Amino acid sequence: MEYVSTRDKSRKVSAAYAIANGIAPDGGLYCPTSFPTLAAEDWHALANMDYKGRSALVLGKFLTDFSAEELAGYAAKAYADDKFGGKDTAPVVPLADGKHMLELWHGPTCAFKDMALQMLPHLLTASLRKTGETRTACILVATSGDTGKAALDGFHDVEGTKIMVYYPVDGVSPMQKLQMVTQKGENVEVVAIRGNFDDAQSAVKRIFTDEATRAALDRDGMMLSSANSINWGRLAPQIAYYISAYCDMVQSGAVKMGGKINICVPTGNFGNILAAYIAKRMGLPVNKLICASNRNNVLTDFFKKNGTYDKNRDFYTTSSPSMDILISSNLERLLFMASGQDDRMVAELMERLSEDGSYQVAAEVFEKISADFDAGCCEDAQAAETIRTLWEQEHYLCDTHTAVAVRVYEEYRARTGDETPTVIASTASPFKFCRAVIEALGGTLERDDISQLAVLSGLTGVEAPAPLAALADQAPRFDRVVDKAEILSTVALLKGL
Ligand SMILES: *Cc1c(COP(=O)(O)O)cnc(C)c1O
């Protein structure tokens, strides 16, 4: 399988090269040149595998320069039972009205980012080896909260790598911040940026494209790489869990083999839902992909307003901070994939985005996109109401991001009458967003953030995940705050790691 940039498909690279480098030199994102398909015997094999096996099989379809043994070995380590609390890696919990909650947060940092970021260090270090790279890979991460901690957990003390995480100083939950600033490891650095997630993401992109910075790092034996979902190695491991969920639903009788499902995903950077789209293109029987947004509803408008993407709008800080994004990077991959790999069109649209902050997709391309997708959004108050009713009526506790998806799904179902069983991506433990969840349930907040874990447990009888409870005993290690204009200077910190 070969990979090309969304902005120039003339130069083909291997999966290992795409993963080692993260982003293409022209600023585009690497994509496979075709979609591998799952044959009948693949489905048969998948049905009888555990999550590790399913992950390795699906990854093998894309990462053809890795052997089946290599991938099976990485999956065994990435999804080891002790990392996922001895539970199923990605269990499906059936609820009323066709809802099937795909719980993706049983990993070490309690958000779905673990599903990819426990795997990425294995893929990345192997990719460096396979491409003959001898420099130290410096992984730069812009985070709206969950990616940062998951990347730190995945990469800390991984040989041949250093990792630096940038988060918006007021844009993450207290628990997310605590998770990041207490991170252990000799090769890690955490920096707060004054601004929002888009500022952090743009600042990191500026480092990537600054020739002088790259040259200086090179002289010191370092190269830049990315653990954001712009890296194919971050996206590819996310495809497997939708396929795994389907296998589980066939086994439980929720759907017949070959029968269709919908998939509803709370969306920010468009990575998680793009993985579902790719699973569909591989043959997963999907009726609609439902894109759920919070008040930052730039994607809802894109899907509802005939393919007009316009980030020139107010930015809101919401109770689902990991979705507070106005530039959804992975939409670029969808445009490329859905348009039959029209790299010139993508390059042109991305130019418009960076110059005007908006673009308009041609009608015939938008028609192809909108056949697969539906979209909706909701406000914090509606998400809170959903958390409460889901708890009161079904005794199911969900976080603020997942609540947005549940709400949007319920609206979709009422609007369309579509009763297809629907996988809803449950993207974080409710204990990561304690304050908002406690408030939604009408509980009384404690002053400090660790105490909220006990409050939420007391309200619901649900136990807090062990990795969050353990934060009580950990001292903060990082307190640096910088202006976005200063970001280039922070690169010097890498040398000291
Ligand atoms: C990152 C994140 C999202 C958004 O996922 P994207 O891949 O950026 O669309 C949703 N929910 C939670 C809890 C997250 O951490």
Side-chain angles (χ1 to χ4, degrees), residues 280 287-289 365-374:
K280 177 174 186 182
N287 172 37
K288 282 287 179 193
L289 299 159
V365 175
F366 183 68
E367 215 168 282
K368 287 193 194 129
I369 293 176
S370 53
D372 285 321
F373 286 86
D374 202 289

Side-chain angles (χ1 to χ4, degrees), residues 20-276:
N21 289 275
I23 192 163
D26 55 26
L29 308 185
Y30 286 116
C31 288
T33 48
S34 63
F35 292 103
T37 50
L38 293 169
E41 67 258 28
D42 289 322
W43 284 109
H44 191 76
L46 284 162
N48 298 306
M49 287 173 168
D50 63 5
Y51 190 81
K52 301 176 187 87
R54 289 172 180 172
S55 167
L57 189 151
V58 174
L59 278 174
K61 299 281 176 189
F62 290 96
L63 311 183
T64 46
D65 41 348
F66 290 69
S67 71
E69 292 70 37
E70 282 177 302
L71 295 173
Y74 306 155
K77 286 187 204 152
Y79 307 118
D81 292 347
D82 61 338
K83 290 192 167 176
F84 282 78
K87 294 211 188 104
D88 277 356
T89 311
V92 177
V93 179
L95 297 178
D97 302 330
K99 301 191 289 292
H100 293 264
M101 309 305 293
L102 171 56
E103 293 184 349
L104 300 170
W105 43 264
H106 293 291
T109 78
C110 310
F112 88 89
K113 306 294 199 290
D114 287 327
M115 299 299 295
L117 282 162
Q118 288 299 315
M119 175 59 82
L120 183 62
H122 301 292
L123 296 178
L124 185 74
T125 48
S127 295
L128 294 169
R129 226 174 29 242
K130 284 174 194 287
T131 54
E133 182 59 67
T134 53
R135 291 172 294 177
T136 300
C138 299
I139 294 129
L140 301 186
V141 180
T143 183
S144 55
D146 290 330
T147 298
K149 178 58 182 185
L152 289 164
D153 190 277
F155 278 100
H156 76 91
D157 296 328
V158 171
E159 211 172 307
T161 71
K162 299 178 180 195
I163 173 161
M164 183 129 89
V165 169
Y166 298 91
Y167 71 92
V169 67
D170 295 320
V172 302
S173 85
M175 192 62 76
Q176 289 176 316
K177 180 177 170 192
L178 197 58
Q179 282 187 301
M180 287 190 278
V181 299
T182 54
Q183 176 63 44
K184 299 198 171 68
E186 296 306 313
N187 65 337
V188 308
E189 181 67 58
V190 178
V191 176
I193 296 217
R194 290 190 193 92
N196 61 35
F197 171 72
D198 290 317
D199 294 324
Q201 178 158 265
S202 304
V204 168
K205 275 197 184 150
R206 196 153 72 241
I207 300 177
F208 270 98
T209 50
D210 188 78
E211 282 304 325
T213 301
R214 278 179 173 272
L217 287 169
D218 185 54
R219 281 195 296 279
D220 291 325
M222 296 188 277
M223 65 174 288
L224 294 176
S225 191
S226 164
N228 281 101
S229 54
I230 54 175
N231 192 324
W232 178 249
R234 180 52 210 285
L235 204 60
Q238 297 183 227
I239 301 165
Y241 49 70
Y242 294 110
I243 291 165
S244 174
Y246 189 78
C247 293
D248 287 350
M249 286 168 70
V250 169
Q251 261 160 6
S252 74
V255 62
K256 283 207 181 65
M257 192 55 161
K260 288 199 170 173
I261 57 169
N262 296 321
I263 301 177
C264 180
V265 184
T267 304
N269 230 344
F270 208 75
N272 203 7
I273 195 166
L274 186 76

